Amino acid sequence: MSDSSSASDDVDPPWASLAAEKYLLSDSSESPDQQRRKLVRQYVKAGPERTALIDHSRTESPTAAQISSILQPWRTPAQRDTARRGTITAAWLRTCYSPDSDEKHESLIESVDMELAVDGEDRLFNDPELYDFGANWQQVFDVFPELLEPEEGYWEYLQEQQRESMEALRAFAQGGVSRAPSGLLENLSSLQGQELEDYIAMVLQSSVHAAYVIGWLVLEDEDALHTGKPLLMFLDTQGRVVRSIRVLAGDAAGIGGLWLDGSWRESTEWEDGDLGEEYKQGGACEGLLLENVRSA
């Protein structure tokens, strides 16, 4: 059952103390619903630059009208409590609520430890009143832009990884195997010729794409309930899918542990995943592909 809220001076955390809430109050030129939808999508699309959108010098509290018309209708108290944790770089999202789906849902997750899978039961988004998105699963970011906000310092780490991985890919594109990182060649004596080149290309391309991943989402859609395989999606800071793959629920749950020790980059789930549309040829991130680096 969905919960409800009322404006209160002693609400915890205080209204507009969360970064996304503060941004939602930055423009009042449209109706509250339009303002909320437009601004939260701008906030998501800004990616790593979204922190620059927040005017942290503003210290005044929101008015009662802003709370009741903009902030309060946006999220339930339970959703807001989840968002207050700041970094939520993982979630399990159920979007199919057909009449016969509840039993299938329970069967699918009966052996899944949500603490291990997505760091808590509150990250299981399972409510037909709140998450009946159908095929439009990206609407979850309209409610939880925090899903796309890495922990402090992690984006800076990723920027360094992006720079280093692109340098390695560019060097390989220009000079072939002779310009591949020496550490990568140490244990590849059994590979020769085109097989060696293909393997190096795969590893370097994977490293480039991995440097854009800030978290993951497990999608329990209609296909998942029919096949027993939810869609595991690795996401970038704008909510775009970098890679995705359908896996058994237990395998999806295991990504949490692999994320913590950094080994997800070598996992079958990542290596066998399909590129997201924006990371394919013709997508917004096509410049990261080896064939385009070679022709640049």
Side-chain angles (χ1 to χ4, degrees):
M1 176 67 67
S2 304
D3 46 8
S4 59
S5 175
S6 60
S8 171
D9 293 336
D10 60 358
V11 67
D12 183 34
W15 290 112
S17 61
L18 303 179
E21 291 181 346
K22 192 181 295 288
Y23 186 63
L24 289 188
L25 300 179
S26 64
D27 181 1
S28 58
S29 61
E30 301 180 72
S31 69
D33 285 346
Q34 291 174 322
Q35 175 182 339
R36 191 165 51 243
R37 187 179 303 108
K38 182 186 78 172
L39 291 182
V40 75
R41 292 182 180 180
Q42 286 180 356
Y43 187 75
V44 166
K45 190 174 182 179
E49 306 302 323
R50 65 175 61 97
T51 54
L53 300 176
I54 308 301
D55 182 2
H56 294 285
S57 65
R58 294 184 59 180
T59 58
E60 67 271 19
S61 300
T63 66
Q66 288 175 318
I67 293 172
S68 62
S69 66
I70 299 172
L71 299 181
Q72 191 180 46
W74 183 30
R75 305 192 273 206
T76 69
Q79 288 174 324
R80 193 167 183 264
D81 192 54
T82 297
R84 73 180 295 183
R85 295 173 61 179
T87 301
I88 346 175
T89 54
W92 188 295
L93 173 66
R94 178 186 176 190
T95 60
C96 178
Y97 299 92
S98 58
D100 63 342
S101 65
D102 284 349
E103 186 175 343
K104 292 178 180 178
H105 163 72
E106 293 300 329
S107 176
L108 186 72
I109 69 165
E110 63 180 350
S111 60
V112 173
D113 182 343
M114 287 296 166
E115 288 287 342
L116 175 63
V118 290
D119 197 28
E121 289 289 340
D122 64 331
R123 313 286 182 89
L124 169 59
F125 300 154
N126 174 33
D127 187 325
E129 295 183 36
L130 301 174
Y131 307 114
D132 190 8
F133 300 144
N136 300 314
W137 60 267
Q138 297 93 336
Q139 289 180 19
V140 70
F141 305 131
D142 292 348
V143 183
F144 287 110
E146 290 87 357
L147 276 169
L148 307 174
E149 296 179 9
E151 62 188 6
E152 186 176 354
Y154 193 69
W155 177 244
E156 289 73 18
Y157 162 77
L158 283 185
Q159 287 180 308
E160 181 64 17
Q161 293 295 303
Q162 291 166 13
R163 183 186 64 79
E164 292 179 356
S165 62
M166 276 303 292
E167 285 181 356
L169 188 67
R170 193 172 292 113
F172 174 70
Q174 295 171 349
V177 174
S178 64
R179 296 285 303 281
S182 57
L184 181 58
L185 297 172
E186 289 178 356
N187 300 313
L188 298 179
S189 58
S190 62
L191 300 179
Q192 300 293 329
Q194 190 62 48
E195 189 178 15
L196 175 61
E197 186 171 340
D198 290 346
Y199 179 80
I200 293 172
M202 179 196 70
V203 172
L204 295 180
Q205 185 72 87
S206 175
S207 295
V208 168
H209 286 146
Y212 285 82
V213 174
I214 54 87
W216 71 99
L217 185 71
V218 182
L219 179 64
E220 184 185 330
D221 56 4
E222 185 175 5
D223 285 347
L225 295 177
H226 284 315
T227 65
K229 292 184 176 183
L231 185 65
L232 173 62
M233 299 182 288
F234 296 92
L235 305 173
D236 69 11
T237 58
Q238 294 184 38
R240 300 175 299 199
V241 177
V242 183
R243 291 189 182 184
S244 66
I245 188 171
R246 287 207 177 268
V247 295
L248 295 173
D251 292 333
I255 289 296
L258 299 179
W259 181 269
L260 290 176
D261 65 19
S263 62
W264 64 271
R265 298 173 181 85
E266 291 81 45
S267 69
T268 299
E269 290 81 6
W270 168 255
E271 291 183 345
D272 291 350
D274 297 321
L275 277 182
E277 291 301 316
E278 295 295 337
Y279 283 80
K280 292 179 180 178
Q281 197 68 259
C285 303
E286 66 176 1
L288 302 177
L289 295 171
L290 175 59
E291 55 262 45
N292 295 330
V293 174
R294 279 180 170 146
S295 62

